[in-house]
Amino acid sequence: MAASCSLKALYGLLKADILDKFRQSHQVKNGHGKKRWGPGRGGEARLVAGGPLPHPTMEALRRLLSRAVLLLALTAFQGESVDRSKFRTCSQGSFCRRYKTWIARPEREKVLWSVLPQTRTQLPEGGYSFQVKHASEADAHLLLKLNIYSSGMVRIRLNEIEPLHKRHEIPPGDVVSEPPPAAAQVGVTEGAGATVFKFEAAEKVQVEASLQHAPLGLEVSVGGKVLQRLNARNLLNFERYRKPQERLPPDASSATAADATAVLLDAAAHPHSLDTNDAGKLGPSTSVRKLFRVDSKTRSYLQMPPAEIKAFIAAFIAVVLALSTTESSASLPFYEEPYRFFNLDVFEYEIDEPMALYGAIPLIWAIHRLEGLPAMASGFLWINPSETFVKLERDTKEAKGGAAHAWWTSESGVLDVVVLVGPTPKRVSGQFHDLTGHAPMPGMWALGKHQCRWNYMSEKDVATVDSMYDKYDIPYDTIWLDIEHTDGKAYFSWNAAAFPNPKQMIDNISAKRRKFVNVVDPHIKKEEKFHVYREVRDKGLFVKKVTYKQMDDPTDAKPSDWIEEAKIADPSASQPPEWNAEEDGAWVAPQIDNPAYKGEWKPRKVNDPNPELSDFEGWCWPGTSLYPDFTDPAMREYWGSQFALDKYAGTNGDTYIWNDMNEPSVFNGPEVTMPRDAVHPHGMVEHRDLHNMYGYYVHRATFEGLAKRTAGDRPFVLTRSFFIGSHKYSAIWTGDNYAQWSHLKASIAMVGALTLGGQSLVGADVGGFFKHPDAEMTVRWYQLAVLIYPFLRNHAHLETPRREPYVFDEPTMLRIKASLQLRYRMLPLWYTLFRDYTAYAEPVVRPLFWDFLDDPQTHEHEEAVESQIMLGSVLLVHGVAKPLTEQSEATVYLPKAAGWYSLQDGAFFSPGPHVHKLDIDSIPAYYKGGSVVPLKSRIRRSSSCMSQDPFTLHVYLDPQAGAATGRLYLDDYRTRMYEDIYAAMILKPHA
């Protein structure tokens, strides 16, 4: 049924069928037993596990009818796989489409934006500002701020001076740390057409940043070699706000053109194939308007300045990772369609696509192999939370190496970019965390096995899962509950029929030294009895829908030459000779249409500056839902307070939280998310300006609430949506993946991409969320996950068969158990690596190039890049992503090192490619020679039960040196006392 059907029509179509179902039976069945009607995880109509339907009271009928209408409407959005027509491409977004036209204009060499060096001013926090002038404007209207940080970063921000509308800027401390990183000691010289900044970064790295004056550009060099050039192709575009229907700003000059329409200003005002479609009030293109509504774009040209960056790499551009597109391979493909950063709930997403997904960390890593120098690494960070596209290009499309370019364009906000100069991967990671903050230490339990499902349906179900793990002596740390545990999807509540005594249930789990995680989503059920709804509403803290009224523009005056006379005397007429004034009266020339008539003058219409605001309502799991404005500190404070033990009934100090659907997901919204013109009342900011940060603010509020709930405890929060800096507050998983071999393999790149973006507590759903893995796939997934997923969770769709380890046949169960026991033996190593991550910003899991940059094969060898990954600098893992019937051996590349020892049998291998025969009991994994690995040999029911057990050190000698080194980090595994130790230390990267 078409999505455009009215709800009244849907109601009528469903009514007879639903009433008939009630009359026939109070229960319905499918292949999995008793079910009740309910929504599927992606919004599709499904049968939800549960008990009998209620008696057919009128109220019950009303509720069911309403829900069925919702579900059928939602079905229009979701299918058996991702429907690309539901999601925008670059050509369907007016700002991106305009930019593509802009960069193809014939006058690309013309200098438009120029830095005025005489306006250089020192900033209070360090750094400098410059005014930037456009060639077609009388005065400078942009301000450039340049900050240079001592750890090795060059940051440029570009914003309007006295704009028509204030642009949204991310508040200090939300992404960039407050106070910001330490400023470098900089030497400044004025060169030929450039201002040159020289400084020494950490580890005595000599850096030079040359700010080109005309056209505006930035060239960053390390050791005399250029690594990155910004605006190298003169493609910078900055669209200034202007009044509706105003093509040019007031001081845009037309002195060089006879016609003002010939002025070359920006992508929204230029003479070359100007694309005005959807530039103003129209919003999305026609194909996207089918998604229920149109973006009003009330501020007319509400577009962010697109900006071009050229990453100049002589030989090869990286195992580069734009981390929002988590479904892409490790070495980013150069797609024809740009990568998109717009946090979305993409149902049944596919891999190897540039489409948007749940989160956005717009960071690119680049590897530079320059003649006469060792390999170097650098990074480029684009700090903008509005919709963003990035296009990767090469001078020669067929070449895998050589110079590469990337252009970026965002819908709104300011230009804020950072060059991370490296020149080593360790320095790039350190610089990123110096800018955005360090992550906290997770509790040891968070690194153990998490058991989750949509959904464990009752207290008995939970107790059964827990006891079966013990029966088969399989270790695990945490059991999870999804949305069905709530009272009608009212979060912070319990389904009283299925969970009558939640406190006792959770206390029983705690008694076994295990933890509990509940899902708490940010859409709030609209129901008067639900206290969270009432309190947030009464505080005025929900996101608002804006209804604009039109009014006459008081600043619009009638032009002095405006002609309003519709008729004039015919100037060509003359009095007829036979006319007799005495008899006929005075002769009057006949009236004709006035050719100069301009019509009745009316002032132009503008939006009333005092629009009507009402709470924005959308559809999500509870039905009609409202969405808190988490950008407001007051809302975050209130949200966090709800996790207090005296407010969140049934929980204890061992209960932690999962924030799902926080993109935010709005089933009946455009692209299944919040409309761009919804308004956050805190600052009256349009949602378009901060869309990619909504989920960030949700999990930040949850983390801060848990930190206050239990003094000294380490909070744990899992989030699906994320942004730059989310590592400070949450774990991340890769979303609703498939039980497919391709998704198993893709998880290697996805986990590696996220860890390079600062997010080390990450993982994928083991076994896949959708569909059901066979026994061999399940075994392979566990064998990989226990070695490379920092966050190790088994999760599955409601309609899949149960897949807890003990439900499989005995050989399969024993192989899964062996994998999990290996994970628990290795927890001391994992925990030590997390200390290095927290203190020194070293990714816990990382692509091979991070540790072996001087070995070209680590970023050129296909298997090394796409199938292999490192756990710290100690363990190399090669994933197996095909059944044995299709792959009986694997080619493993072992980087240049002292040698490698098989994890399974200790056999020694020299560096280089090796062909290994595969068996079902293990995957290829190797400890690096010269390593001492801390382990624990006694495996108990949970990590907490192992905390006082002795350690075992496995020594893998460097065969030439006859020596090995290693480290072991110890604390109490659960409190924040380690922060006191860190505060007393001067943290420097360890040797």
Side-chain angles (χ1 to χ4, degrees), residues 413-437:
V414 301
L415 187 150
D416 189 348
V417 299
V418 185
V419 176
L420 313 172
V421 302
T424 65
K426 182 180 292 189
R427 293 305 315 151
V428 174
S429 292
Q431 289 153 6
F432 177 84
H433 285 270
D434 186 42
L435 183 75
T436 63

Short mmCIF file of all heavy atoms in Angstrom, two decimals, residues 413-437:
data_model
loop_
_atom_site.label_atom_id
_atom_site.label_comp_id
_atom_site.label_asym_id
_atom_site.label_seq_id
_atom_site.Cartn_x
_atom_site.Cartn_y
_atom_site.Cartn_z
N GLY A 413 25.72 25.57 9.47
CA GLY A 413 26.74 25.68 10.50
C GLY A 413 27.94 26.48 10.03
O GLY A 413 27.83 27.36 9.17
N VAL A 414 29.10 26.18 10.59
CA VAL A 414 30.33 26.89 10.26
C VAL A 414 31.35 25.89 9.72
O VAL A 414 31.23 24.68 9.92
CB VAL A 414 30.91 27.62 11.48
CG1 VAL A 414 29.91 28.63 12.02
CG2 VAL A 414 31.33 26.64 12.56
N LEU A 415 32.36 26.41 9.05
CA LEU A 415 33.46 25.56 8.62
C LEU A 415 34.45 25.45 9.78
O LEU A 415 34.94 26.44 10.29
CB LEU A 415 34.14 26.16 7.39
CG LEU A 415 35.21 25.30 6.71
CD1 LEU A 415 35.26 25.61 5.21
CD2 LEU A 415 36.59 25.49 7.31
N ASP A 416 34.72 24.21 10.19
CA ASP A 416 35.63 23.94 11.30
C ASP A 416 36.38 22.67 10.95
O ASP A 416 35.81 21.57 10.99
CB ASP A 416 34.85 23.77 12.61
CG ASP A 416 35.75 23.71 13.84
OD1 ASP A 416 36.98 23.57 13.67
OD2 ASP A 416 35.22 23.80 14.96
N VAL A 417 37.65 22.81 10.56
CA VAL A 417 38.43 21.66 10.12
C VAL A 417 39.76 21.62 10.86
O VAL A 417 40.30 22.65 11.26
CB VAL A 417 38.68 21.68 8.59
CG1 VAL A 417 37.37 21.65 7.84
CG2 VAL A 417 39.49 22.90 8.17
N VAL A 418 40.26 20.40 11.04
CA VAL A 418 41.51 20.22 11.76
C VAL A 418 42.40 19.27 10.97
O VAL A 418 41.97 18.18 10.58
CB VAL A 418 41.28 19.63 13.17
CG1 VAL A 418 42.59 19.56 13.93
CG2 VAL A 418 40.26 20.47 13.94
N VAL A 419 43.64 19.69 10.73
CA VAL A 419 44.66 18.82 10.14
C VAL A 419 45.46 18.23 11.29
O VAL A 419 46.05 18.95 12.10
CB VAL A 419 45.59 19.60 9.19
CG1 VAL A 419 46.69 18.68 8.66
CG2 VAL A 419 44.78 20.17 8.02
N LEU A 420 45.43 16.89 11.38
CA LEU A 420 46.22 16.17 12.38
C LEU A 420 47.51 15.76 11.69
O LEU A 420 47.51 14.88 10.83
CB LEU A 420 45.46 14.95 12.87
CG LEU A 420 43.98 15.18 13.27
CD1 LEU A 420 43.28 13.87 13.56
CD2 LEU A 420 43.88 16.11 14.45
N VAL A 421 48.62 16.40 12.04
CA VAL A 421 49.82 16.29 11.22
C VAL A 421 50.61 15.01 11.46
O VAL A 421 51.54 14.70 10.73
CB VAL A 421 50.75 17.51 11.42
CG1 VAL A 421 50.01 18.78 11.08
CG2 VAL A 421 51.31 17.56 12.84
N GLY A 422 50.25 14.24 12.49
CA GLY A 422 50.99 13.01 12.74
C GLY A 422 52.40 13.32 13.24
O GLY A 422 52.57 14.07 14.19
N PRO A 423 53.46 12.76 12.59
CA PRO A 423 53.42 12.00 11.33
C PRO A 423 53.37 10.49 11.52
O PRO A 423 53.54 9.75 10.56
CB PRO A 423 54.74 12.42 10.67
CG PRO A 423 55.67 12.64 11.82
CD PRO A 423 54.83 13.17 12.96
N THR A 424 53.14 10.01 12.75
CA THR A 424 52.99 8.59 12.98
C THR A 424 51.54 8.31 13.36
O THR A 424 50.83 9.21 13.85
CB THR A 424 53.90 8.11 14.12
OG1 THR A 424 53.47 8.72 15.35
CG2 THR A 424 55.36 8.45 13.85
N PRO A 425 51.06 7.09 13.15
CA PRO A 425 49.69 6.77 13.58
C PRO A 425 49.47 7.03 15.07
O PRO A 425 48.40 7.51 15.46
CB PRO A 425 49.56 5.29 13.24
CG PRO A 425 50.49 5.09 12.09
CD PRO A 425 51.66 5.98 12.38
N LYS A 426 50.48 6.74 15.89
CA LYS A 426 50.34 6.99 17.33
C LYS A 426 50.11 8.47 17.60
O LYS A 426 49.31 8.85 18.45
CB LYS A 426 51.58 6.50 18.07
CG LYS A 426 51.51 6.66 19.58
CD LYS A 426 52.76 6.16 20.28
CE LYS A 426 52.90 4.66 20.18
NZ LYS A 426 54.01 4.14 21.03
N ARG A 427 50.82 9.33 16.86
CA ARG A 427 50.65 10.76 17.05
C ARG A 427 49.28 11.23 16.54
O ARG A 427 48.64 12.10 17.16
CB ARG A 427 51.76 11.54 16.33
CG ARG A 427 53.15 11.35 16.89
CD ARG A 427 53.25 11.65 18.38
NE ARG A 427 52.57 12.89 18.74
CZ ARG A 427 52.02 13.13 19.91
NH1 ARG A 427 52.06 12.22 20.85
NH2 ARG A 427 51.45 14.28 20.15
N VAL A 428 48.80 10.68 15.42
CA VAL A 428 47.47 11.07 14.92
C VAL A 428 46.41 10.72 15.96
O VAL A 428 45.55 11.55 16.27
CB VAL A 428 47.17 10.38 13.57
CG1 VAL A 428 45.73 10.67 13.14
CG2 VAL A 428 48.13 10.85 12.49
N SER A 429 46.47 9.51 16.50
CA SER A 429 45.50 9.13 17.54
C SER A 429 45.63 10.04 18.76
O SER A 429 44.62 10.48 19.33
CB SER A 429 45.72 7.67 17.95
OG SER A 429 45.38 6.79 16.91
N GLY A 430 46.85 10.33 19.18
CA GLY A 430 47.06 11.20 20.33
C GLY A 430 46.53 12.60 20.09
O GLY A 430 45.95 13.22 20.98
N GLN A 431 46.75 13.13 18.88
CA GLN A 431 46.25 14.46 18.56
C GLN A 431 44.73 14.51 18.57
O GLN A 431 44.13 15.47 19.09
CB GLN A 431 46.81 14.88 17.19
CG GLN A 431 48.30 15.17 17.21
CD GLN A 431 48.98 14.95 15.87
OE1 GLN A 431 48.34 14.67 14.86
NE2 GLN A 431 50.31 15.05 15.87
N PHE A 432 44.08 13.48 18.02
CA PHE A 432 42.62 13.43 18.01
C PHE A 432 42.08 13.48 19.44
O PHE A 432 41.14 14.24 19.74
CB PHE A 432 42.13 12.18 17.29
CG PHE A 432 40.64 12.01 17.30
CD1 PHE A 432 39.86 12.65 16.36
CD2 PHE A 432 40.01 11.23 18.26
CE1 PHE A 432 38.47 12.51 16.36
CE2 PHE A 432 38.64 11.09 18.28
CZ PHE A 432 37.86 11.72 17.33
N HIS A 433 42.66 12.71 20.34
CA HIS A 433 42.17 12.69 21.72
C HIS A 433 42.60 13.93 22.50
O HIS A 433 41.91 14.34 23.43
CB HIS A 433 42.64 11.42 22.42
CG HIS A 433 41.88 10.20 21.98
ND1 HIS A 433 40.74 9.77 22.60
CD2 HIS A 433 42.10 9.33 20.96
CE1 HIS A 433 40.29 8.69 22.00
NE2 HIS A 433 41.10 8.39 21.00
N ASP A 434 43.71 14.53 22.13
CA ASP A 434 44.10 15.81 22.73
C ASP A 434 43.04 16.86 22.42
O ASP A 434 42.73 17.72 23.25
CB ASP A 434 45.46 16.24 22.19
CG ASP A 434 45.99 17.48 22.88
OD1 ASP A 434 45.86 17.59 24.11
OD2 ASP A 434 46.55 18.36 22.18
N LEU A 435 42.46 16.76 21.23
CA LEU A 435 41.44 17.72 20.81
C LEU A 435 40.08 17.42 21.42
O LEU A 435 39.37 18.33 21.86
CB LEU A 435 41.32 17.71 19.28
CG LEU A 435 40.36 18.72 18.67
CD1 LEU A 435 40.95 20.13 18.71
CD2 LEU A 435 40.02 18.34 17.22
N THR A 436 39.70 16.13 21.45
CA THR A 436 38.33 15.76 21.79
C THR A 436 38.17 15.16 23.19
O THR A 436 37.05 14.97 23.64
CB THR A 436 37.77 14.76 20.77
OG1 THR A 436 38.56 13.55 20.81
CG2 THR A 436 37.83 15.33 19.36
N GLY A 437 39.26 14.83 23.86
CA GLY A 437 39.18 14.27 25.20
C GLY A 437 39.47 12.78 25.21
O GLY A 437 39.34 12.09 24.20
#
